[in-house]
Amino acid sequence: WYQRRVRAELDEEMEDWYLADECEAERVPHQDVSRCLKRQIEQGRVTPVCVGSGLVGVGVQECLQLIIDYLPSPLTAVSKLPSIMQDAVCGVVFKSSLDPNRGVVCQSRVYSGTLTPRSKLLNLRCNTVEQVSNLLRVDADKLVVQGECGPGGITVISGCKHLRTGDVFVAASLTKRVKDLNELVQSNNTLKLTMSYGNPLFFCNVEAPDALSNDRLEKVLTAMTFEDPTLTLKRSETGELVLGGTGQLHLSVVRDRIRDEHGLECKAYKFRVNYLETVSDEMEYLYSCDLGELRLTISPSQSGKEITVRGVSDRVREVVEPAIVSSLTIGPLIGFQLTHCQIVASFSLHPPTHSKFPSKEDKKQLTTMVKSGIKSLFSEHMSLITLCEPFAEVAIEGPQQHCSAIIADFSLRSSGCEHRVSFSEGGDWFTLTGEAPLSKLSDLGSSVRQISRGSAAVLRVEMVRYGSMEPGDARQVVQMFKDGVI
């Protein structure tokens, strides 16, 4: 094990020792290995994992010692912050939840400055300023009032309704520099202040056991979305609760928690993946109203959404760009987000003569103009809207005698994607890796176990990209959604 650790080639100094004399690798001084390991942890290339039990006190002391020996000091972290953030309050929320008595409570780590009750904080995610009601310290299963929290400290913030898991907050005095702050936080790879979460990959409809429990179920699920940022909750057009998560196991665990912790036997059905909508060819539309004309052009793009607004001032652009983004959140085909497209909006406005343009009323008209124009564009070119489906990278491992059968099963799911097979040195064990549409992998684990009689296993299913669907497959999925099958 020690030689494998040295052979990992994570650190140049450690690699030099090993290459100098491979047979003597186990004789590298422990303090030198520790120094290299600490350096790699600080650079984010190694993640330490401790195994133990807090309930019976096994491994607790060792875990605390590892934190002291290997993890970076908060004082070091402060020096790595951008200069404009070092003297002011700066911190990150690592868990938010709903408390029945205190409302939203946020477990947070303070990186710089001193946080006190009544402090005003700027949330860099939504650019809102809120005032802290109380600071609380976790003491076993109780929350104790805390006077202040300095660099490196962990505290529970109450009173900030908009703070969520992963949010970065700073002192409200830095409000005027919010744009610069967001750029600095995103580009600061040393501290990795921000947390990123992908879109939900699987959805399912959830239903309470009876009509009287519907409101209670919605409240329980809403509280869970506060705790888990990868969990989403919305209502469909028919009024059903739709729960989104990272996988079927994730949603099943949520269902079990509802049963075990809240005594609700909710039903979960219609599991489906998270499709995206896109355009197959360029489309154009000219929309006219009292405020002027809007020429919209949407064309395919390699990734994401690219929005270009022409013919307006910066003040007007601040109004129309969010309206465009909002219009693309719910696609025209079956309601999934529109992506992989480039949008160009060219305006020819006839603004009012008053000097306050755009006024509050003008902003409403501009928003309506954009949304109506995009809606008309989609209505005229509906045949050019198609679906993208998520693809996942899969790794399967098992005995060689079941290799052919498992490859055959995977080939039926992979929709023509390439796969690779490698064998162990003795040839008695194989590893299969490849891509396949996520929608065809829901029963992969059980199928692999059945084929191999429990001797093979799925090691990894990781979403890697979205790809365009064949027109026939896309039409079939759309029809299934309309018929309520999925």
Side-chain angles (χ1 to χ4, degrees):
W1 177 86
Y2 198 87
Q3 285 186 334
R4 290 177 187 173
R5 194 65 172 272
V6 175
R7 196 180 286 127
E9 299 181 2
L10 288 169
D11 191 273
E12 291 183 2
E13 184 180 356
M14 193 180 292
E15 184 180 358
D16 290 341
W17 289 329
Y18 183 73
L19 293 176
D21 189 349
E22 184 173 347
C23 297
E24 301 297 325
E26 68 276 6
R27 298 186 181 180
V28 176
H30 176 74
Q31 60 269 25
D32 293 337
V33 176
S34 297
R35 185 177 67 252
C36 294
L37 187 58
K38 182 175 182 179
R39 182 162 58 239
Q40 296 306 314
I41 291 173
E42 289 181 350
Q43 293 175 6
R45 299 180 65 189
V46 171
T47 301
V49 177
C50 296
V51 180
S53 172
L55 186 63
V56 295
V58 176
V60 175
Q61 189 61 44
E62 289 80 359
C63 179
L64 294 174
Q65 192 62 47
L66 183 144
I67 292 172
I68 295 170
D69 293 342
Y70 292 105
L71 300 190
S73 164
L75 298 178
T76 305
V78 171
S79 65
K80 294 177 181 178
L81 283 169
S83 57
I84 62 173
M85 301 171 71
Q86 289 184 13
D87 298 328
V89 172
C90 173
V92 176
V93 178
F94 59 84
K95 183 178 180 181
S96 60
S97 57
L98 275 178
D99 186 277
N101 300 317
R102 297 183 175 89
V104 180
V105 292
C106 304
Q107 298 182 40
S108 311
R109 175 79 177 269
V110 177
Y111 280 94
S112 66
T114 301
L115 185 63
T116 61
R118 305 300 174 187
S119 294
K120 290 187 177 181
L121 302 178
L122 169 65
N123 185 341
L124 294 184
R125 174 179 57 84
C126 53
N127 297 336
T128 56
V129 175
E130 295 184 276
Q131 183 170 296
V132 177
S133 294
N134 279 307
L135 294 181
L136 306 165
R137 175 173 53 84
V138 178
D139 186 3
D141 59 346
K142 299 178 181 178
L143 293 176
V144 181
V145 176
Q146 188 176 11
E148 62 179 30
C149 184
I154 292 177
T155 188
V156 178
I157 299 174
S158 69
C160 296
K161 297 180 180 180
H162 296 95
L163 280 179
R164 297 291 184 272
T165 303
D167 283 351
V168 178
F169 60 83
V170 296
S173 58
L174 299 176
T175 303
K176 293 183 179 179
R177 305 196 60 180
V178 62
K179 186 175 181 180
D180 297 334
L181 286 169
N182 275 308
E183 292 177 357
L184 288 169
V185 166
Q186 294 294 335
S187 61
N188 192 328
N189 294 324
T190 305
L191 278 180
K192 301 186 186 302
L193 291 175
T194 55
M195 301 181 191
S196 58
Y197 311 101
N199 293 323
L201 299 178
F202 280 87
F203 291 89
C204 71
N205 291 10
V206 289
E207 188 178 272
D210 53 71
L212 296 176
S213 303
N214 278 329
D215 290 342
R216 185 182 168 204
L217 175 62
E218 186 170 6
K219 289 179 180 178
V220 168
L221 289 172
T222 300
M224 286 186 172
T225 60
F226 274 83
E227 300 176 7
D228 184 355
T230 63
L231 195 67
T232 64
L233 181 68
K234 62 181 181 180
R235 281 199 177 273
S236 65
E237 294 179 356
T238 57
E240 296 174 303
L241 287 173
V242 180
L243 193 64
T246 56
Q248 286 184 290
L249 178 61
H250 183 198
L251 298 177
S252 298
V253 169
V254 171
R255 182 188 58 194
D256 293 344
R257 283 189 58 195
I258 294 171
R259 180 195 62 211
D260 298 339
E261 298 176 13
H262 304 278
L264 277 173
E265 285 284 353
C266 74
K267 302 175 184 177
Y269 56 97
K270 292 184 180 178
F271 281 93
R272 56 186 182 272
V273 301
N274 183 33
Y275 295 95
L276 294 178
E277 300 183 20
T278 189
V279 296
S280 59
D281 202 354
E282 183 176 301
M283 56 179 73
E284 189 174 346
Y285 187 80
L286 179 63
Y287 181 81
S288 301
C289 64
D290 295 340
L291 204 57
E293 293 182 344
L294 167 61
R295 183 174 296 278
L296 287 163
T297 304
I298 300 183
S299 55
S301 177
Q302 292 297 320
S303 62
K305 291 190 289 283
E306 303 173 23
I307 299 175
T308 304
V309 179
R310 298 172 179 167
V312 294
S313 64
D314 290 341
R315 292 181 62 189
V316 175
R317 184 178 283 103
E318 291 176 358
V319 177
V320 298
E321 282 188 351
I324 294 173
V325 173
S326 175
S327 299
L328 302 178
T329 302
I330 301 177
L333 208 55
I334 49 177
F336 286 101
Q337 185 177 357
L338 197 77
T339 186
H340 292 81
C341 58
Q342 184 176 11
I343 305 100
V344 179
S346 302
F347 288 83
S348 178
L349 299 177
H350 311 298
T353 56
H354 61 75
S355 59
K356 294 183 178 180
F357 182 80
S359 64
K360 188 174 182 179
E361 186 62 33
D362 295 331
K363 291 179 180 179
K364 290 182 180 179
Q365 292 184 21
L366 284 167
T367 301
T368 302
M369 179 183 186
V370 169
K371 292 186 175 182
S372 300
I374 292 177
K375 184 177 180 180
S376 302
L377 170 70
F378 288 149
S379 298
E380 187 166 305
H381 299 281
M382 186 63 74
S383 61
L384 299 179
I385 308 295
T386 187
L387 290 179
C388 291
E389 64 178 339
F391 281 75
E393 184 177 3
V394 178
I396 304 172
E397 192 175 72
Q400 186 273 336
Q401 61 264 32
H402 300 296
C403 180
S404 298
I406 290 176
I407 289 176
D409 178 79
F410 184 76
S411 297
L412 294 175
R413 303 170 185 269
S414 61
S415 299
C417 295
E418 294 183 0
H419 61 266
R420 301 167 298 281
V421 180
S422 59
F423 293 90
S424 61
E425 292 182 2
D428 56 347
W429 203 259
F430 79 94
T431 301
L432 167 68
T433 56
E435 289 186 7
L438 194 62
S439 59
K440 298 182 180 180
L441 300 177
S442 58
D443 63 337
L444 177 64
S446 58
S447 178
V448 168
R449 288 192 297 272
Q450 184 177 1
I451 292 172
S452 65
R453 297 181 181 179
S455 58
V458 178
L459 300 181
R460 184 178 72 254
V461 177
E462 183 178 351
M463 192 273 188
V464 289
R465 64 181 178 90
Y466 273 90
S468 297
M469 297 182 68
E470 294 295 328
D473 294 339
R475 284 194 296 269
Q476 184 179 2
V477 170
V478 171
Q479 191 60 47
M480 292 172 70
F481 267 93
K482 291 180 179 179
D483 294 342
V485 177
I486 57 176

